[in-house]
């Protein structure tokens, strides 16, 4: 099954064409392309792909048709990894954006749930406006979560959030999207891991 994977980053949409076979097996290499809208970004805590929203479908269509994307086939299923602080309004806007460029049925999941297949772990993910620390437990919809505003981010703030969710520090910690200086707080996860784990949830 040919699909388009989209990972919503701070300002860019990281996009790849993926081939999922036998239910959840990702076939072949995955090459990512970053879509960054060609407009100014005057709003400090709003992702660029949600600014000037009425123009984004045209911008994104042109990007997907360009040589940079090597002719990604747009009319297929879309798999979307959402930032963990994404509001309902923002997730609906991202879904509508996908549909406007050819998505048949966007499947969306929050990034924290895609960092590992462990039964229980702490996920630390970053967006444009916040870092989210989440205690992920397999097959449990409700989670404990702590949000740290991006302008209050520090090693002490992250350590306090991790301790609040796991006082004995026994859970594995996985990170995604954090600045490199925080890599020692856990195991950094690549976007490719998110693709593979999202495929397994389908």
């Amino acid at each position: 099954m040919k699909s388009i994977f989209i990972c919503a980053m701070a300002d860019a949409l990281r996009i790849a064409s993926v081939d999922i076979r036998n239910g959840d097996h990702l076939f072949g290499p995955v090459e990512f392309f970053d879509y960054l809208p060609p407009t100014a970004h005057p709003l400090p805590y709003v992702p660029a792909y949600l600014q000037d929203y009425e123009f984004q479908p045209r911008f994104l269509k042109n990007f997907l048709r360009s040589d940079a994307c090597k002719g990604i086939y747009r009319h297929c299923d879309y798999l979307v990894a959402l930032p963990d602080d994404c509001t309902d309004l923002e997730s609906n806007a991202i879904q509508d954006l996908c549909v406007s460029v050819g998505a048949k049925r966007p499947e969306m999941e929050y990034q924290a749930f895609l960092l590992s297949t462990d039964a229980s772990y702490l996920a630390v993910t970053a967006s444009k406006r916040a870092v989210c620390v989440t205690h992920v437990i397999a097959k449990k919809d409700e989670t404990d979560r702590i949000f740290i505003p991006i302008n209050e981010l520090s090693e002490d703030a992250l350590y306090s959030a991790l301790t609040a969710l796991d006082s004995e520090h026994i859970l594995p910690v996985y990170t995604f999207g954090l600045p490199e200086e925080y890599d020692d707080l856990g195991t950094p996860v690549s976007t490719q891991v998110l693709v593979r784990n999202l495929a397994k949830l389908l």
Side-chain angles (χ1 to χ4, degrees):
M1 178 182 71
K2 289 283 189 180
S3 301
I4 298 295
F5 172 79
I6 295 180
C7 185
M9 309 297 285
D11 272 319
L13 294 176
R14 185 159 292 166
I15 302 171
S17 179
V18 296
D19 188 0
I20 300 171
R21 301 185 183 182
N22 298 325
D24 63 358
H25 181 67
L26 197 62
F27 181 79
V30 178
E31 185 175 4
F32 294 99
F33 308 97
D34 282 351
Y35 163 71
L36 186 64
T39 55
H41 312 140
L43 303 176
Y45 301 119
V46 179
Y49 50 83
L50 293 180
Q51 298 184 37
D52 298 327
Y53 188 75
E54 65 272 22
F55 302 111
Q56 294 307 327
R58 175 165 56 88
F59 290 152
L60 185 55
K61 280 181 185 177
N62 290 340
F63 177 77
L64 293 174
R65 290 171 179 159
S66 69
D67 291 339
C69 284
K70 300 180 181 178
I72 281 179
Y73 180 66
R74 295 180 292 115
H75 298 283
C76 56
D77 291 337
Y78 278 51
L79 312 175
V80 184
L82 295 170
D84 289 298
D85 66 340
C86 196
T87 66
D88 289 343
L89 181 64
E90 290 170 336
S91 64
N92 288 336
I94 292 172
Q95 178 171 308
D96 290 345
L97 182 59
C98 292
V99 170
S100 73
V101 298
K104 291 194 296 185
R105 183 172 56 90
E107 294 281 354
M108 303 196 293
E109 183 57 273
Y110 291 102
Q111 292 168 1
F113 299 96
L114 304 175
L115 300 194
S116 174
T117 57
D118 291 352
S120 181
Y121 62 91
L122 295 181
V124 185
T125 58
S127 70
K128 189 168 183 178
R129 62 175 171 257
V131 167
C132 181
V133 183
T134 306
H135 182 193
V136 177
I137 302 175
K139 299 180 180 179
K140 183 178 179 182
D141 293 332
E142 294 185 5
T143 58
D144 291 324
R145 226 171 228 178
I146 296 174
F147 294 97
I148 304 171
I150 203 70
N151 57 355
E152 298 176 13
L153 180 62
S154 68
E155 191 167 331
D156 287 344
L158 282 171
Y159 185 79
S160 295
L162 292 169
T163 301
L165 296 180
D166 177 25
S167 59
E168 298 181 0
H169 297 281
I170 58 175
L171 294 174
V173 178
Y174 299 97
T175 67
F176 180 74
L178 286 178
E180 290 183 1
E181 59 262 35
Y182 300 108
D183 280 355
D184 59 349
L185 287 174
T187 302
V189 173
S190 68
T191 312
Q192 185 146 340
V193 171
L194 271 68
V195 180
R196 293 186 181 279
N197 288 338
L198 183 50
K200 293 174 183 176
L201 293 178
L202 297 180

